[in-house]
Amino acid sequence: MVKPNEQSNRIRVRDKFFRLYLNREKIDEIVSAIAGRVTRDYTGKDPILLGILNGAFIFASDLVRKLNIPCEISFVKYSSYHGMESNGKISRLIGLNETLRGRDVIIVEDIVDTGHTMAKLLDDLKQCEPASIRIACFCFKKQAFRENFTIDYCGLEIPNLFIVGYGLDYDGAGRNFPDIYQLDTPNG
Ligand code: IMP
Ligand code: MG
């Protein structure tokens, strides 16, 4: 059994095998690049980062520690994913209890897939009348995207793969791997 902190080429999460897709060094470079852009764009401002639980908790904590500006961080929780497919029904489980009116909000998400979760949050957020809203996501499955909002800070565009690690889960498991793995099919 591979321990999450060992860098390995192949891991097992529940009943599935996954192979290494993106190592922790590359992940760190991507987060640093996003943090640099956010720092430049928000110098002189005091934004509030809004992470989407559960998946974004690791990316949000890495990103916030690389920002060189004053900021706040809060989280919302939505749910839509079951197993390996988004079921399209999005419900907010915890959420927008901060005073967001007049604030510069940066939504922080681990991955945008169909975009339905983000679209629902954007809708809810507008009711709170923030001064501005931007989106930072670690990765983006462009081919699966079904909405039409703009992603302001996108770490990495990926094909339609199923990935785990760095906060991303398969049925609740695998979030604690520091590297990102893709589902390993028998044919590669
Ligand atoms: P969307 O609403 O279809 O954009 O799905 C977004 C949410 O689904 C993300 O916040 C993730 O939590 C989850 N998700 C999407 N793709 C993956 C994946 O490849 N692995 C694990 N979770 C995923
Ligand atoms: Mg998520």
Side-chain angles (χ1 to χ4, degrees):
M1 176 65 191
V2 176
K3 298 195 182 88
N5 272 321
E6 288 168 8
Q7 198 160 342
S8 161
N9 287 329
R10 199 159 187 263
I11 59 164
R12 182 183 176 151
V13 180
R14 302 216 188 277
D15 58 331
K16 305 246 183 287
F17 287 94
F18 293 80
R19 66 173 190 272
L20 188 62
Y21 182 65
L22 205 63
N23 67 33
R24 60 196 76 179
E25 291 80 16
K26 187 76 194 140
I27 291 171
D28 191 65
E29 280 172 26
I30 291 170
V31 181
S32 295
I34 296 175
R37 291 177 58 202
V38 172
T39 298
R40 274 195 300 280
D41 292 351
Y42 286 84
T43 296
K45 297 184 173 171
D46 178 9
I48 179 160
L49 275 65
L50 203 56
I52 308 183
L53 293 171
N54 292 326
F57 79 110
I58 293 179
F59 172 44
S61 74
D62 281 351
L63 180 64
V64 76
R65 284 178 291 172
K66 289 178 188 280
L67 294 182
N68 217 353
I69 45 168
C71 61
E72 289 175 42
I73 184 158
S74 183
F75 290 92
V76 289
K77 184 164 184 169
Y78 284 78
S79 96
S80 77
Y81 235 68
H82 293 285
M84 296 204 292
E85 264 180 71
S86 182
N87 68 5
K89 285 185 229 118
I90 316 294
S91 40
R92 173 146 47 95
L93 306 175
I94 62 165
L96 305 170
N97 51 5
E98 303 292 319
T99 312
L100 297 171
R101 187 186 301 260
R103 298 297 304 271
D104 294 307
V105 176
I106 306 171
I107 301 171
V108 180
E109 176 63 308
D110 50 356
I111 187 166
V112 173
D113 184 2
T114 62
H116 297 326
T117 308
M118 186 65 73
K120 174 85 172 83
L121 172 57
L122 286 168
D123 231 43
D124 291 352
L125 249 184
K126 281 172 192 149
Q127 320 292 317
C128 303
E129 301 178 8
S132 68
I133 304 173
R134 285 193 183 179
I135 297 171
C137 74
F138 183 81
C139 52
F140 176 40
K141 290 188 197 169
K142 201 173 185 175
Q143 293 157 15
F145 192 53
R146 297 285 172 271
E147 298 283 347
N148 56 13
F149 53 81
T150 303
I151 298 172
D152 305 278
Y153 307 99
C154 175
L156 186 71
E157 277 183 21
I158 66 166
N160 222 346
L161 306 166
F162 187 78
I163 56 177
V164 296
Y166 197 62
L168 291 150
D169 70 303
Y170 165 48
D171 258 351
R175 295 191 196 277
N176 54 328
F177 286 94
D179 308 286
I180 294 180
Y181 295 83
Q182 73 175 93
L183 187 64
D184 206 0
T185 55
N187 310 321

